[in-house]
């Protein structure tokens, strides 16, 4: 699987196995510049922004799910919210909400 991780204005592509889990992706996310230091992957706010509407990924319930199960295979885009305002993350999540 090829996953693009978006943090703030930057994006980073990385290859994963389709059997890798959300935890594997989040451990990679934690290593990227601009990602706030956290004690646990559970503290990260991430969303699958591959398609519209975006889907929030929940580390407390989805940490062990594979990239294939999460529809991040063969490619996917994940946005990580940084500390403070992150307009791109907020915009992706607002698009996911049914405001009608």
């Amino acid at each position: 699987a090829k996953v693009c991780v978006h943090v703030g204005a930057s994006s980073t592509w990385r290859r994963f196995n389709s059997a890798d889990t959300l935890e594997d992706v989040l451990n990679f996310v934690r290593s990227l510049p601009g990602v706030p230091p956290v004690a646990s992957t559970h503290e990260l706010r991430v969303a699958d922004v591959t398609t519209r509407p975006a889907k929030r990924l929940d580390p407390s319930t989805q940490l062990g799910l594979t990239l294939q199960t999460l529809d991040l295979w063969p490619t996917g885009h994940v946005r990580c919210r940084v500390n403070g305002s992150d307009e791109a993350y907020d915009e992706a999540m607002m698009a996911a909400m049914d405001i009608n």
Side-chain angles (χ1 to χ4, degrees), residues 48-96:
D48 174 1
V49 295
T50 308
T51 60
R52 296 283 182 186
K55 295 180 288 187
R56 185 168 185 266
L57 298 173
D58 185 3
S60 64
T61 60
Q62 296 176 312
L63 206 57
L65 297 181
T66 66
L67 299 182
Q68 189 168 10
T69 301
L70 293 169
D71 293 327
L72 293 171
W73 174 88
T75 61
H77 292 263
V78 174
R79 174 160 284 286
C80 178
R81 183 183 178 104
V82 295
N83 282 336
S85 177
D86 185 340
E87 292 177 10
Y89 181 92
D90 294 340
E91 183 179 310
M93 294 316 295
M94 288 300 291

Side-chain angles (χ1 to χ4, degrees), residues 22-23 25-27 30 38 40-47 55-65 70 78 80 89:
L22 178 59
E23 182 175 21
V25 174
L26 295 182
N27 284 329
R30 290 173 64 189
V38 293
S40 165
T41 55
H42 294 291
E43 297 176 48
L44 292 173
R45 292 184 59 186
V46 292
K55 295 180 288 187
R56 185 168 185 266
L57 298 173
D58 185 3
S60 64
T61 60
Q62 296 176 312
L63 206 57
L65 297 181
L70 293 169
V78 174
C80 178
Y89 181 92

